[in-house]
Amino acid sequence: MKDNFSKQATDYSKFRPQYPDEMIEYIISFVVNKFTALDVGTGNGQVAHKLSAYFKKVFATDISQKQLDNAIQAENIIYHNESAEKTFFENSLFDLIVVAQAVHWFDFDLFYKEIYRILKPEGIFAVLGYGLFSTNPDSDKILKHFYYDIVGTYWDSERKYLDENYATIPFPFEEIPAEKFQNQFIWTFEELVGYLQTWSSVQHYISKNNQNPIDLIYDDLKISWQKNDMKVIFPLLLRIGKLNSENTD
């Protein structure tokens, strides 16, 4: 897994959008027993923290120690700095395993093999994510130019899975048809720029060009943002599955 987020870990914890409670509750509704959960690629721990209200114990892993240093704490959350593809957990431990906005960075074959090892036979596996947000038409025009034309070539190839709404990721599970969710926020201009700053493509651009690409749209975007409704809408991505008995032999 690539570590694209240690550099902006503080901004990540501050500006990355949360998942709505109703989406988390929906996923948990499929879980029979609520003893132990795992949040893989936890980042700032936002999903782990939501799960901690429902499960006796929550483990959360990430390859970025800087991300974990900024993670939300709770008495029943245990954070570990380790890869998604090789964990220290015992076999058939978890009632629920989730991975939010991270599965596209993993080695699918190795990761799914690990899921089959550590998920209970009756357990639930869920992949969450969010695609490119939309906003008012005027700001959208600026932001899409930024996304596709300015930083477009600086996205890692794995970004395509998000652009394809996770529909094309390998998913070797007995899939449960999932409801559709979206997230809406009213963002200040600082929150908007803060979120853009967390994009891996922005960090790649800065590293290569020694210039922040947000500066190229900053003034126009600020004017546009302040004269419109400041509303952002994120399409949320969700796939839910159980272990497929054909793959457990």
Side-chain angles (χ1 to χ4, degrees):
M1 178 183 175
K2 298 176 181 177
D3 181 5
N4 279 337
F5 304 101
S6 287
K7 187 182 299 183
Q8 65 270 34
T10 302
D11 283 346
Y12 198 96
S13 64
K14 185 177 180 181
F15 295 112
R16 280 280 169 150
Q18 295 272 344
Y19 294 92
D21 291 341
E22 56 266 30
M23 186 179 186
I24 301 298
E25 291 168 0
Y26 176 73
I27 295 167
I28 292 172
S29 72
F30 294 99
V31 182
V32 177
N33 299 305
K34 299 174 182 65
F35 297 111
T36 313
L38 171 64
D39 179 20
V40 186
T42 190
N44 60 16
Q46 58 165 276
V47 173
H49 187 254
K50 287 181 179 291
L51 295 178
S52 70
Y54 299 90
F55 290 83
K56 290 184 177 179
K57 185 177 291 186
V58 176
F59 289 89
T61 64
D62 204 282
I63 62 168
S64 169
Q65 185 59 51
K66 287 186 178 180
Q67 286 274 30
L68 297 179
D69 290 342
N70 286 276
I72 306 168
Q73 301 297 313
E75 288 185 359
N76 60 335
I77 302 177
I78 300 171
Y79 289 103
H80 280 279
N81 179 211
E82 65 179 17
S83 73
E85 296 88 351
K86 186 177 181 180
T87 71
F88 77 99
F89 302 115
E90 62 187 62
N91 295 346
S92 303
L93 177 62
F94 294 105
D95 300 292
L96 172 67
I97 299 175
V98 301
V99 52
Q101 200 73 359
V103 74
H104 51 288
W105 300 117
F106 300 165
D107 181 309
F108 290 119
D109 290 339
L110 293 177
F111 175 60
Y112 289 143
K113 183 178 180 180
E114 190 72 347
I115 295 301
Y116 267 83
R117 185 182 72 80
I118 63 178
L119 184 65
K120 290 180 180 178
E122 71 279 10
I124 294 295
F125 174 68
V127 170
L128 298 71
Y130 45 85
L132 179 63
F133 68 91
S134 60
T135 183
N136 66 82
D138 187 58
S139 300
D140 243 352
K141 184 177 180 180
I142 298 169
L143 289 163
K144 286 182 178 178
H145 170 62
F146 181 72
Y147 182 87
Y148 292 107
D149 302 324
I150 297 178
V151 299
T153 59
Y154 292 86
W155 288 108
D156 293 86
S157 61
E158 293 90 343
R159 177 71 192 186
K160 68 177 183 178
Y161 291 114
L162 286 169
D163 290 336
E164 294 163 354
N165 299 318
Y166 276 163
T168 58
I169 63 169
F171 200 76
F173 300 91
E174 180 183 329
E175 187 155 8
I176 300 169
E179 292 184 10
K180 300 290 186 182
F181 294 87
Q182 66 177 23
N183 230 354
Q184 296 189 32
F185 305 96
I186 301 298
W187 273 357
T188 64
F189 185 65
E190 179 190 21
E191 289 172 317
L192 173 65
V193 171
Y195 172 66
L196 297 179
Q197 189 73 26
T198 69
W199 284 5
S200 58
S201 60
V202 169
Q203 297 304 315
H204 293 331
Y205 188 105
I206 293 171
S207 295
K208 186 170 183 179
N209 300 293
N210 199 29
Q211 177 191 20
N212 192 327
I214 298 172
D215 293 343
L216 302 176
I217 62 165
Y218 188 92
D219 292 339
D220 289 341
L221 184 59
K222 185 174 184 178
I223 293 169
S224 174
W225 201 251
Q226 292 178 341
K227 72 179 183 182
N228 284 289
D229 59 11
M230 302 182 182
K231 180 188 291 186
V232 296
I233 301 173
F234 281 90
L236 297 177
L237 318 178
L238 178 60
R239 298 188 71 175
I240 305 174
K242 301 178 179 180
L243 298 182
N244 190 323
S245 59
E246 295 179 0
N247 294 334
T248 57
D249 298 333

